[in-house]
């Protein structure tokens, strides 16, 4: 089941399967360690379109809502 990062619940894991954006978005996310095939864990988010905090490996990263909704994941159980 494919969902965006903003739809993932707190403390759930997902594997990045697609990034809906251009070259600039790919570059920014790649610099943060987020790329297709990488597993991420959602730590927290603010309900009203606030930042989304994820854990990639041993690093915690805060992403803006607009950027987070362009990251498509396959939810892991």
């Amino acid at each position: 089941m494919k969902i965006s990062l903003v739809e993932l619940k707190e403390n759930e894991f997902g594997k990045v399967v697609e990034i809906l954006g251009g070259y600039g978005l790919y570059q920014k996310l790649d610099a943060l360690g987020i790329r297709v095939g990488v597993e991420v864990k959602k730590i927290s988010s603010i309900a009203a379109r606030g930042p989304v905090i994820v854990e990639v490996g041993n690093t915690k990263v805060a992403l803006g809502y607009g950027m987070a909704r362009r990251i498509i994941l396959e939810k892991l159980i």
Side-chain angles (χ1 to χ4, degrees), residues 5-53:
L5 180 56
V6 296
E7 296 173 88
L8 197 66
K9 292 184 173 70
E10 290 184 15
N11 296 316
E12 288 187 336
F13 291 87
K15 183 175 182 180
V16 180
V17 293
E18 188 177 2
I19 297 173
L20 304 174
Y23 182 73
L25 181 61
Y26 275 93
Q27 288 274 306
K28 288 178 186 178
L29 292 175
D30 189 46
L32 297 171
I34 300 171
R35 56 188 70 84
V36 174
V38 171
E39 289 184 19
V40 298
K41 177 183 178 184
K42 185 172 181 180
I43 303 296
S44 67
S45 64
I46 306 299
R49 299 181 64 115
V52 177
I53 301 171

